[in-house]
């Protein structure tokens, strides 16, 4: 399985993502330049974290117009897996690949921490190696992570099992303190209706080795491996 | 074609938590401006565009807001002024 990692001007987790795929998992990975229109035959696209286009206007708003994003959208419409991490989640929402929007953290602070997220749906290509209720420890680093959508959209996401991750405390229960950004319904990550686009604010690519604090991010990549190669 | 200067206000939609607006409301209350019941903080964008007339300039900017300048999920926009530049 080959991973493509998009590099926008201002991306800063593209190297982390490359490290996660190429070094931690030992799989083929290529960078996809934002001006390119060639996905180079990759199976999975990662939209990495960072501050694409300086977060001008709104986080992710400009990145969606880059040439590579037209190809990513085509890939997604054809059912190809897309993993949007942090800024990548913001871009996926702005591009209409996922519903809702990510707004300024409720406390107006940039948050850099390791949080706990609970798996709410293990029947996705990104969580098949997890069980519902599993709690993963994953770093976050963002200023605009407050997932926001109207009530109808939130109810639909919940009803369709598309809330994949929720912020929880050390007891595995959502609460206002455990939620680092004030996201509605403590949402940390959601999936598209077709189940092939996952967006999440936490950084699984920065949790690939126990040496740096957590290897829980591997579960997401290993799920993807199991499902896509199956 | 004429040149127009169009100003747009973009603010967080009613019902969407605006923490910046809330912080500013609180600060205004601390200053004694008790009459302030709500503050919304958004963006003010000024565009210079070519269009056949003011109505067309307005329509163009509305389309721009729908596609890029505002996020329809969380923001409302209002065209404040359309002036011949």
């Amino acid at each position: 399985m080959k991973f493509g990692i998009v590099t926008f001007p201002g991306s800063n987790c593209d190297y982390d993502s490359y490290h996660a795929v190429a070094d931690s998992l030992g799989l083929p990975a290529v960078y996809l330049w934002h001006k390119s229109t060639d996905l180079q035959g990759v199976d999975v696209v990662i939209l990495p974290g960072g501050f694409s286009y300086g977060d001008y206007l709104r986080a992710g708003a400009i990145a969606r117009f880059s040439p590579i994003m037209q190809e990513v959208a085509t890939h997604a419409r054809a059912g190809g897996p897309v993993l949007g991490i942090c800024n990548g989640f913001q871009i996926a929402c702005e591009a209409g690949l996922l519903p809702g929007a990510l707004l300024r953290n409720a406390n107006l602070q940039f948050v850099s921490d390791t949080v706990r997220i609970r798996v709410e749906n293990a029947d996705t290509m990104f969580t098949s190696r997890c069980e519902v209720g599993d709690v993963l420890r994953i770093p976050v680093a963002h200023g605009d992570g407050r997932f926001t959508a109207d009530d109808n959209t939130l109810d639909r996401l919940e009803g369709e099992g598309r809330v994949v991750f929720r912020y929880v405390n050390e007891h595995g229960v959502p609460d206002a303190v455990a939620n680092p950004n004030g996201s509605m319904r403590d949402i940390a990550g959601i999936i598209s209706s077709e189940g092939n686009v996952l967006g999440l604010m936490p950084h699984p690519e920065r949790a690939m080795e126990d040496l740096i604090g957590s290897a829980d991010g591997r579960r997401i990549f290993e799920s993807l491996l199991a499902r896509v190669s199956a | 074609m004429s040149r127009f200067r169009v100003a747009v206000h973009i603010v967080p939609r009613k019902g969407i938590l605006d923490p910046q607006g809330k912080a500013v409301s609180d600060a205004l209350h601390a200053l004694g401006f008790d009459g302030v019941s709500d503050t919304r903080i958004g963006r003010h964008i000024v565009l210079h565009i070519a269009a056949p007339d003011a109505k067309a300039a307005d329509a163009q900017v509305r389309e721009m807001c729908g596609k890029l300048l505002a996020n329809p999920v969380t923001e409302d926009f209002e065209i404040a002024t359309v002036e011949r530049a």
Side-chain angles (χ1 to χ4, degrees), chain A residues 57-58 61-62 64-65 94 100-101 103-108 146 148-150, chain B residues 10 15-20 23 43 45 67-75:
Chain A
L57 195 62
R58 296 179 302 276
I62 311 289
R64 78 178 237 240
F65 295 102
E94 284 282 348
L103 301 186
R104 182 71 52 86
N105 294 348
N107 66 4
L108 298 174
R146 174 166 49 106
T148 300
D150 61 51
Chain B
I10 297 164
I16 299 266
L17 172 67
D18 175 9
Q20 286 190 83
R43 281 187 299 279
I45 300 179
K67 289 186 172 168
L68 173 64
L69 302 180
N71 184 335
V73 178
T74 56
E75 296 173 322

Side-chain angles (χ1 to χ4, degrees), chain A residues 76-161:
Chain A
R77 277 196 297 274
V82 177
L83 175 57
I85 302 167
C86 196
N87 189 221
F89 185 12
Q90 296 161 342
I91 294 167
C93 287
E94 284 282 348
L97 298 175
L98 291 171
L102 283 313
L103 301 186
R104 182 71 52 86
N105 294 348
N107 66 4
L108 298 174
Q109 307 282 313
F110 188 95
V111 55
S112 178
D113 205 350
T114 297
V115 300
R116 292 181 176 83
I117 55 173
R118 188 177 71 194
V119 177
E120 305 290 274
N121 182 352
D123 189 23
T124 80
M125 68 169 84
F126 302 91
T127 51
S128 58
R129 287 291 170 93
C130 306
E131 302 284 335
V132 169
D134 281 355
V135 174
L136 312 181
R137 288 183 61 253
I138 311 274
V140 289
H142 59 251
D144 299 85
R146 174 166 49 106
F147 183 75
T148 300
D150 61 51
D151 285 337
N152 287 340
T153 304
L154 291 168
D155 289 342
R156 199 178 71 239
L157 288 172
E158 304 255 22
E160 294 173 357

Side-chain angles (χ1 to χ4, degrees), chain A:
Chain A
M1 189 192 329
K2 184 174 168 186
F3 285 74
I5 298 146
V6 178
T7 300
F8 298 102
S11 293
N12 63 14
C13 297
D14 42 346
Y15 280 65
D16 290 330
S17 299
Y18 186 94
H19 170 74
V21 173
D23 301 326
S24 299
L25 299 171
L27 293 171
V30 289
Y31 292 111
L32 302 171
W33 186 239
H34 65 108
K35 283 187 176 166
S36 165
T37 54
D38 180 7
L39 287 189
Q40 300 184 38
V42 302
D43 303 294
V44 180
V45 172
I46 298 180
L47 300 175
F51 299 88
S52 58
Y53 298 88
D55 276 355
Y56 293 167
L57 195 62
R58 296 179 302 276
I62 311 289
R64 78 178 237 240
F65 295 102
S66 59
I68 196 73
M69 277 306 292
Q70 316 314 310
E71 304 308 313
V72 172
T74 303
H75 168 84
R77 277 196 297 274
V82 177
L83 175 57
I85 302 167
C86 196
N87 189 221
F89 185 12
Q90 296 161 342
I91 294 167
C93 287
E94 284 282 348
L97 298 175
L98 291 171
L102 283 313
L103 301 186
R104 182 71 52 86
N105 294 348
N107 66 4
L108 298 174
Q109 307 282 313
F110 188 95
V111 55
S112 178
D113 205 350
T114 297
V115 300
R116 292 181 176 83
I117 55 173
R118 188 177 71 194
V119 177
E120 305 290 274
N121 182 352
D123 189 23
T124 80
M125 68 169 84
F126 302 91
T127 51
S128 58
R129 287 291 170 93
C130 306
E131 302 284 335
V132 169
D134 281 355
V135 174
L136 312 181
R137 288 183 61 253
I138 311 274
V140 289
H142 59 251
D144 299 85
R146 174 166 49 106
F147 183 75
T148 300
D150 61 51
D151 285 337
N152 287 340
T153 304
L154 291 168
D155 289 342
R156 199 178 71 239
L157 288 172
E158 304 255 22
E160 294 173 357
R162 291 168 54 194
V163 175
V164 180
F165 298 111
R166 229 184 279 273
Y167 300 109
V168 294
N169 62 21
E170 65 272 32
H171 307 295
V173 179
D175 72 30
V177 177
N179 181 336
N181 52 43
S183 66
M184 288 182 161
R185 304 194 190 180
D186 302 302
I187 289 171
I190 59 168
I191 201 163
S192 62
S193 55
E194 301 302 317
N196 61 309
V197 180
L198 174 73
L200 77 170
M201 288 313 296
H203 287 269
E205 85 285 11
R206 294 192 196 168
M208 300 295 284
E209 289 114 3
D210 286 321
L211 182 67
I212 55 166
S214 173
D216 290 351
R218 296 184 77 95
R219 309 269 295 276
I220 292 171
F221 286 92
E222 284 165 1
S223 298
L224 206 43
L225 270 175
R227 285 291 273 263
V228 175
S229 10

Side-chain angles (χ1 to χ4, degrees), chain B:
Chain B
M1 283 288 186
S2 306
R3 306 289 309 176
F4 292 91
R5 178 187 183 278
V6 184
V8 197
H9 294 155
I10 297 164
V11 290
R13 176 158 304 154
K14 194 168 181 297
I16 299 266
L17 172 67
D18 175 9
Q20 286 190 83
K22 189 174 177 309
V24 170
S25 276
D26 292 348
L28 289 171
H29 292 158
L31 283 171
F33 294 103
D34 299 328
V36 177
S37 57
D38 191 27
T39 309
R40 311 295 280 174
I41 296 186
R43 281 187 299 279
H44 179 75
I45 300 179
V46 178
L47 301 126
H48 289 85
I49 61 172
D53 54 43
K55 199 173 159 214
D58 181 284
Q60 266 193 54
V61 174
R62 276 175 202 284
E63 193 183 347
M64 292 176 202
C65 287
K67 289 186 172 168
L68 173 64
L69 302 180
N71 184 335
V73 178
T74 56
E75 296 173 322
D76 288 323
F77 66 88
E78 179 189 332
I79 298 194
T81 52
V82 182
E83 297 165 341
R84 217 167 259 281

